[in-house]
Amino acid sequence: MNNPLQSPSHIGYADGKYVLPPLPYAYDALEPLMDEATVRLHHDKHHAAYVAGANAAAAKLKEIADGTADAALTTPTVRNLSFHTSGHALHTIFWTNMTPTPKAAPAGPLAAAIEAKFGSLSAMLTVFKAAAAGVEGSGWAILGIDPVSRELVVCGAEKHQNLEIPGLVPLLACDVWEHAYYLLHQNNRAAYIENFVKLINWDDVEARYEAATA
Ligand code: FE
């Protein structure tokens, strides 16, 4: 099973550095469901900070490995790397999971897998939206593939790195950190989740499913 969380091309990693992928559309392309100011800050400041943090933590781990930094820093530095690389990977998926020109429903093997597991697309989305609403504090709702059963599963992640299913292969990720919605939706996370669902790029989710199960 191919996991985009572990793939340099999916996570944005080249020449030994984590890199911020450009947005796959204009900052204002998701208006009015997702506002330009939020998208700009979210990508250029928040996502960029995770990339910078990942590179800083990776550099510190190299110093620890070659003896130029204190080995006692290993645990907090690995924790830092986990937080920032997980944030980087999930944001990279999140941006491509949305499109200004969404189609109403998935097709192909993904559609069949959703129907087999949940009964229907709308039933899966009910579970997905409930998972997103239920994240305590900052985190994500994710539709992914359980690496053991190989079945679709909806779960959450606390912060970025604490996946509720170890080894989960994410296909569709909804960021429910307040920075993702507070400018436009204030405290109405449910309205933001509804708008995210309307923007889902099912072509991208299908491609991720097919790549993971190939
Ligand atoms: Fe975010």
Side-chain angles (χ1 to χ4, degrees):
M1 177 158 293
N2 301 308
N3 190 338
L5 288 183
Q6 297 158 349
S7 158
S9 62
H10 278 88
I11 202 176
Y13 185 83
D15 300 325
K17 290 275 182 197
Y18 297 95
V19 289
L20 179 65
L23 264 188
Y25 32 73
Y27 291 108
D28 63 354
L30 306 178
E31 293 264 11
L33 300 176
M34 200 171 288
D35 59 303
E36 176 180 356
T38 295
V39 171
R40 189 180 291 277
L41 285 169
H42 196 176
H43 178 269
D44 291 7
K45 301 297 181 188
H46 292 274
H47 188 171
Y50 299 130
V51 173
N55 283 320
K60 180 61 72 181
L61 282 180
K62 284 201 178 87
E63 292 173 22
I64 292 169
D66 68 21
T68 57
D70 187 347
L73 294 172
T74 301
T75 295
T77 307
V78 171
R79 189 179 293 131
N80 248 332
L81 186 74
S82 173
F83 176 79
H84 288 97
T85 55
S86 300
H88 174 31
L90 286 172
H91 282 89
T92 300
I93 294 170
F94 172 73
W95 298 122
T96 58
N97 277 166
M98 295 182 286
T99 175
T101 54
K103 64 181 185 184
L110 174 66
I114 288 172
E115 222 163 275
K117 183 63 189 269
F118 298 94
S120 68
L121 175 64
S122 74
M124 186 281 287
L125 287 173
T126 296
V127 177
F128 185 84
K129 288 187 270 190
V135 171
E136 293 173 348
S138 298
W140 298 75
I142 301 172
L143 169 70
I145 304 174
D146 180 322
V148 177
S149 69
R150 305 289 173 104
E151 290 186 16
L152 288 176
V153 62
V154 169
C155 71
E158 287 183 5
K159 296 190 280 185
H160 307 302
Q161 68 273 45
N162 299 331
L163 290 171
E164 290 168 356
I165 309 266
L168 177 83
V169 181
L171 307 171
L172 175 68
C174 180
D175 187 344
V176 292
W177 284 58
E178 287 183 348
H179 67 226
Y181 62 87
Y182 224 82
L183 286 182
L184 181 63
H185 299 88
Q186 286 88 50
N187 61 322
N188 194 348
R189 186 193 284 185
Y192 158 76
I193 294 165
E194 289 292 339
N195 284 347
F196 172 83
V197 166
K198 288 176 188 159
L199 291 166
I200 292 174
N201 182 352
W202 287 114
D203 289 334
D204 178 65
V205 188
E206 285 169 18
R208 291 181 181 283
Y209 181 79
E210 286 165 36
T213 56

